[in-house]
Amino acid sequence: MSSTPSNNRQRACIVVAGDIGRSPRMQYHATSLVNDNYNVDIIGYMESKPMDVLLTDRQHYRIHELSEVPVTNFPPKLKYAFKAIWQSLSLVIALLSIQRPQFLLVQNPPAVPTLFICYLYCKLMRTKFVIDWHNYSYSILALSANENSLIVRLAKWIEKKFGAKADSHLCVTNAMKEDLETNWGIESAVVLYDRPPLQFKPIDLNAKHDLFVKLSVEYPEFLSEDSDDDEFVESTVFTRKLSNGTVQWKENRPGLLVSSTSWTADEDFGILLKALEEYENAANQENSAYPDLICVITGKGPQKDEYIQKIAAFDWNKVTVVTPWLLIEDYPKVLASADLGVCLHWSSSGLDLPMKVVDMFGCGLPVCAINFKCLDELVVHEKNGFIFENYKELADQLKFWFAHFNNNIAVEQTKEKFQRRINEFQSLRWKENWQKNALPVFKSLS
């Protein structure tokens, strides 16, 4: 971190009209800005724990927590209006509590009421207004409402009207840059691809074993059923530690599949469950060909309880599903310990990319990802991962990957091919990518 005295630094404000802890890109913006001689105010909700440095370094970071919207029994339209008014007042109060920043960086979505409030604040305070476009609010609303409904049309108007008034724009894909230019009249957007920070990296077998031991305390699926044996002192379902300290994979260990989700409408986990059912059936028919499979699905969100009930109803012999909420420091380790990742995120606009795949690639983990419009800006089928259109294709990919587990020449050759491309991806990390693409935008505003 820069040693510049705090009172000689410039000021920036980051607005996350969502959970700060589940907004990694905005947290990375904050740490990058602090490293480049800014003090940063962060405005958002505190539903889950953000990065430790944002909480412990009070000299350079200040978090201003937004008030949760009270639960009401209003009809849907009135509830939406009440929520917008509440969030507007909460955001205004937070903005008035900070020192005037050189610029304000806001995450979009959500656009309502964020873009209007932030634009108005910047206009009054003569602060530069920057939007980081992750997706479009109106396209997300259209998942649960008719695209021609008043709410969706109003959200689109607000998003387009006040989005175009920003002084500078960042966005997550080249496809979004082109769409902003063609359909929104925004010609200056700079593409800042998500890249993993250094904590998303491969780990050695000892670190994997330690993680499995830690997880087994809370999740019995990771426990070993081995009886006491003088040859080893510690055992999990995947690994064992010998008395001389050496850690080994178990010969007949399960495969480890991992996925992460916010359990929202833009991720249909029914596809994964159907694919796992296909795998279960194939494994029961050819027991010697397929290993047991432990599928770890991480994350929090509105549809989690619904899917947990569906998972509990399955009577599977070969497949086990675990749905933990992982600590920030454990999530990268789980990705680095898995054999294969699955991404069910599809973009409501077709213009954003799943950060979870970025994290997986950072950890050296190959991935199966559901296809949508611009996914090939990140995942190229059979070059650095697999792309699937439906649960049948995903099931075929799972069966290919885990057939004759760890003793399949075709799979090993595919892994090597994928790994070469993933290694190239890992060579450009967040820090260097941010300095090359985002920093010039912020410097031009100071």
Side-chain angles (χ1 to χ4, degrees), residues 83 85-87 101 144 225 299 318 331 350 362 438:
K83 179 181 178 181
I85 294 169
W86 183 278
Q87 289 179 325
S144 55
E225 297 180 357
K318 301 290 288 185
Y331 175 58

Side-chain angles (χ1 to χ4, degrees), residues 331-396:
Y331 175 58
K333 296 176 184 177
V334 168
L335 298 185
S337 301
D339 299 296
L340 186 65
V342 174
C343 176
L344 275 298
H345 171 89
W346 59 273
S347 171
S348 61
S349 65
L351 301 172
D352 70 304
L353 295 172
M355 183 174 275
K356 62 199 70 180
V357 174
V358 173
D359 295 339
M360 289 174 182
F361 282 174
C363 294
L365 180 64
V367 64
C368 301
I370 193 165
N371 194 25
F372 60 87
K373 181 178 177 180
C374 68
L375 183 64
D376 60 358
E377 290 190 42
L378 180 61
V379 183
V380 182
H381 185 57
E382 296 188 344
K383 299 294 184 182
N384 61 359
F386 295 116
I387 292 175
F388 60 90
E389 300 282 352
N390 51 56
Y391 80 91
K392 287 281 189 183
E393 291 185 4
L394 175 58
D396 288 342

Side-chain angles (χ1 to χ4, degrees), residues 244-265:
N244 65 5
T246 302
V247 175
Q248 299 174 338
W249 286 114
K250 288 188 171 177
E251 288 186 9
N252 296 316
R253 72 174 178 92
L256 180 56
L257 186 70
V258 66
S259 187
S260 60
T261 177
S262 53
W263 299 105
T264 50

Side-chain angles (χ1 to χ4, degrees), residues 23-91:
S23 303
R25 179 176 168 106
M26 304 312 284
Q27 294 181 77
Y28 301 158
H29 273 304
T31 57
S32 297
L33 286 166
V34 166
N35 288 336
D36 200 71
N37 200 33
Y38 288 87
N39 285 336
V40 180
D41 291 289
I42 306 168
I43 297 174
Y45 295 97
M46 291 281 284
E47 297 168 7
S48 54
K49 184 184 175 185
M51 296 166 59
D52 284 341
V53 68
L54 272 61
L55 299 173
T56 57
D57 183 3
R58 298 299 301 276
Q59 183 180 8
H60 299 111
Y61 304 93
R62 292 290 176 90
I63 292 179
H64 307 265
E65 186 175 357
L66 294 174
S67 300
E68 292 288 342
V69 180
V71 177
T72 66
N73 293 319
F74 296 151
K77 290 182 180 179
L78 187 57
K79 184 181 291 186
Y80 188 83
F82 175 77
K83 179 181 178 181
I85 294 169
W86 183 278
Q87 289 179 325
S88 297
L89 292 173
S90 182
L91 180 54

Side-chain angles (χ1 to χ4, degrees), residues 288-300:
S288 61
Y290 298 101
D292 289 351
L293 198 60
I294 293 180
C295 178
V296 173
I297 306 175
T298 74
K300 290 181 179 179

Side-chain angles (χ1 to χ4, degrees), residues 25 29 105 131-133 168-171 190 192 437-438 441-442:
R25 179 176 168 106
H29 273 304
L105 172 64
I131 299 175
D132 191 2
W133 296 86
S168 294
H169 304 264
L170 299 170
C171 61
V190 173
L192 177 69
N437 295 292
V441 173
F442 298 129

Side-chain angles (χ1 to χ4, degrees), residues 135 139-145 261-271 300-304 306-307 344-348 356 370:
N135 199 350
S139 68
I140 295 175
L141 278 173
L143 294 175
S144 55
T261 177
S262 53
W263 299 105
T264 50
D266 60 353
E267 292 178 311
D268 182 2
F269 263 79
I271 293 173
K300 290 181 179 179
Q303 295 184 344
K304 183 173 183 177
E306 175 188 341
Y307 275 105
L344 275 298
H345 171 89
W346 59 273
S347 171
S348 61
K356 62 199 70 180
I370 193 165

